[in-house]
Amino acid sequence: MNKVKERCPKCELKYSIEPSFYTGSMYVSYAVGIAFAVATYVLLLIFDYASNPLTIFISIVAVLAVSFPYIGAVSKSIWAHFFFKYNKSIAKKVRNDSRT
């Protein structure tokens, strides 16, 4: 679960700069998880289900449990985007490449 490929199949870009590179994505994962929890709480407020604290707690835990794989994948992607910059000329070259 949440395994990252070692290299890009087209341009051979190494996705991990150093050992344990994606450990920093835990901090991003925390922020994304908080965003999911706040969104769940706001939806409960909108639909008038936020009267019982136990209902709020169970709802937030359920949403986080179901969305955990997505949160982990998105967090790794966000973390990687802090370090890997888009290069238009390389992208054009790779787009025209016949490899899969």
Side-chain angles (χ1 to χ4, degrees), residues 2 10 18 42 51 53-54 56 58 66 79 81 95-98:
N2 290 328
K10 287 196 171 196
E18 61 188 19
V42 169
S51 58
L54 186 61
I56 297 168
I58 291 172
V66 169
W79 183 253
H81 278 81
R95 193 176 317 132
N96 295 331
D97 193 356
S98 61

Side-chain angles (χ1 to χ4, degrees), residues 12-99:
E12 298 297 323
L13 172 70
K14 188 176 178 185
Y15 287 136
S16 184
I17 297 173
E18 61 188 19
S20 302
F21 171 68
Y22 288 102
T23 304
S25 71
M26 290 186 308
Y27 299 107
V28 177
S29 176
Y30 178 75
V32 173
I34 293 296
F36 270 69
V38 169
T40 302
Y41 179 67
V42 169
L43 286 172
L44 289 172
L45 284 174
I46 290 171
F47 293 113
D48 201 30
Y49 288 113
S51 58
N52 185 357
L54 186 61
T55 303
I56 297 168
F57 176 75
I58 291 172
S59 299
I60 290 174
V61 168
V63 166
L64 290 176
V66 169
S67 62
F68 176 72
Y70 177 74
I71 290 172
V74 167
S75 299
K76 286 181 180 181
S77 177
I78 292 170
W79 183 253
H81 278 81
F82 285 131
F83 299 95
F84 302 127
K85 303 301 178 206
Y86 179 75
N87 188 326
K88 191 174 183 178
S89 63
I90 292 174
K92 185 182 269 188
K93 179 181 161 187
V94 170
R95 193 176 317 132
N96 295 331
D97 193 356
S98 61
R99 292 184 278 176

